[in-house]
Amino acid sequence: MGTILEVRGGALAGRKIPISNGQSLLIGRAPDRAQFAVPQDNHMSGVHFAVECGPNGCRVVDKKSTNGTFLNGAKIQEAMIAGGDEITAGQTVFVVRMVPDDQLPAASPGVQPPAAPPFPPPPAPPAAPPYAPPQRVPAPPPAPAPPRVADVPRPYPPAPPERTYKEAQGSVPFARPEAARLEAQAPVAPPPPPRPQPPVMAPPRPGAPPALAIGKWTFSRIPEGWQIQEGLGIQMVTKDDKVFPSNIGAMEEPVGPGISLSQYVEAQTKMFREYLREPRIDAALPPKLPAATEAIALEVRYSTKAGQSIYYHRLYVRSGSTIGVLTLTTLEKDLASVRPAYDAFLAGASFIS
């Protein structure tokens, strides 16, 4: 697979940087040192970060930048990347796209050819040993005859395993009537508070065009308080620039007929476990989307070095030879207020090849 970095926002918005498997690219503010330069971004270092693509995938590496490199809102030194991820350097955001190598576009103006990444070369095959003619090997002596059955001592049969008994759930032991009486008198825990309801949105008019379309993804409605990020998804509107904005991103990736949806999700899960900080990954119940033949959902939680707890909800669907990924990214402390809008957004979603 090849990788495309697409610039979102700023003077270079829309520029696409293709990176083939086995190449790397330096990105920064200095045109004489970076292979892709953003001289307009004064918050970016001369050489800010690198993207290196090798046989096991692509990774982003911070090059000791002044203001740091962020992946999906979390500050990193080095991490693996996948389709739909966002890399922030200074005031510039790069969106990661994954496509087959034969579908990589030509580089936008101003992009120098990527270099080979610093992956160690494969070891050279061992030299063939010099030829030696085969030697005649004498036949081994005949094996001694096995002992007769009557001469072989028979071990005693093993003792049967000791039986253990497990007290039936809900039963009251005979020797503990006082404990049973106290348990029956224990106060009943109050019911959990009701889950917040999704925001009320007017249903789409029959035959009306979708409110948002990204590739094969279509969405019939946008929750109130969220704005469209063209080609990416939607983002929650915030008045404070220092607050991490919750966002929902949509992307798709063509796959070969020999790759199943479960194999694709398993590879993504392995990447999370290797490169996220102590992730907790749980399976979730996926919604039913029109025309999607398969669907798998995951909930991913991890903590950044700064102590922030990040929450992902990733929905993987398949239609034909294309896999779509929808990702909710938010701080875990904001999940209760964000989840109703995400559920409403999902209710109007479809993925049709």
Side-chain angles (χ1 to χ4, degrees):
M1 296 296 293
T3 303
I4 299 175
L5 296 185
E6 183 176 345
V7 182
R8 188 186 76 182
L12 303 182
R15 293 282 183 91
K16 296 181 179 180
I17 314 165
I19 308 174
S20 300
N21 188 14
Q23 294 181 331
S24 67
L25 189 80
L26 292 175
I27 298 175
R29 192 183 72 253
D32 58 334
R33 291 188 292 156
Q35 292 164 304
F36 181 79
V38 188
Q40 301 88 347
D41 193 338
N42 295 327
H43 294 266
M44 188 181 292
S45 298
V47 176
H48 200 102
F49 70 93
V51 174
E52 301 171 351
C53 294
N56 296 323
C58 293
R59 61 181 179 179
V60 55
V61 181
D62 182 75
K63 293 297 184 180
K64 298 181 180 179
S65 61
T66 302
N67 295 320
T69 302
F70 295 81
L71 179 63
N72 298 326
K75 189 174 183 180
I76 56 95
Q77 294 297 325
E78 177 181 330
M80 295 299 290
I81 56 177
D85 286 345
E86 293 185 358
I87 303 172
T88 303
Q91 295 179 330
T92 306
V93 178
F94 300 83
V95 181
V96 180
R97 306 291 188 195
M98 297 294 182
V99 297
D101 284 333
D102 56 0
Q103 296 183 15
L104 279 175
S108 301
V111 181
Q112 301 179 24
F119 290 103
Y131 173 77
Q135 302 293 328
R136 182 179 297 276
V137 180
R148 295 179 302 167
V149 175
D151 299 334
V152 178
R154 296 186 179 182
Y156 290 102
E162 182 181 356
R163 289 177 175 265
T164 58
Y165 296 88
K166 181 178 180 182
E167 184 178 288
Q169 185 176 2
S171 64
V172 180
F174 175 79
R176 295 188 298 167
E178 183 63 20
R181 184 182 62 82
L182 293 176
E183 183 178 355
Q185 296 177 356
V188 180
R195 185 175 178 177
Q197 297 298 317
V200 178
M201 296 183 291
R205 300 190 308 272
L212 177 62
I214 302 175
K216 296 177 176 59
W217 286 101
T218 59
F219 304 93
S220 61
R221 62 194 74 181
I222 306 299
E224 184 178 355
W226 295 65
Q227 60 185 4
I228 294 176
Q229 303 289 315
E230 289 297 338
L232 301 174
I234 61 174
Q235 179 173 294
M236 193 172 186
V237 179
T238 59
K239 297 181 180 179
D240 189 352
D241 294 338
K242 297 181 180 180
V243 175
F244 177 80
S246 303
N247 60 82
I248 305 172
M251 57 83 64
E252 61 190 44
E253 185 173 350
V255 294
I259 301 178
S260 65
L261 181 62
S262 59
Q263 290 173 329
Y264 183 91
V265 175
E266 183 179 354
Q268 294 266 307
T269 303
K270 182 179 179 181
M271 180 193 67
F272 290 148
R273 295 192 186 281
E274 289 182 356
Y275 296 100
L276 294 183
R277 188 169 180 266
E278 298 179 356
R280 195 182 82 196
I281 304 174
D282 301 307
L285 182 65
K288 294 183 179 180
L289 266 66
T293 56
E294 297 177 88
I296 298 176
L298 295 179
E299 289 184 327
V300 182
R301 294 172 171 86
Y302 74 98
S303 297
T304 66
K305 290 185 178 180
Q308 288 184 316
S309 181
I310 306 295
Y311 172 88
Y312 289 158
H313 185 281
R314 280 213 162 183
L315 172 63
Y316 302 89
V317 296
R318 181 165 191 159
S319 180
S321 60
T322 306
I323 290 178
V325 183
L326 192 69
T327 305
L328 165 66
T329 304
T330 185
L331 296 177
E332 189 166 13
K333 67 181 182 64
D334 299 333
L335 178 59
S337 59
V338 171
R339 190 58 188 260
Y342 176 61
D343 292 341
F345 190 61
L346 272 179
S350 63
F351 186 75
I352 303 176
S353 61

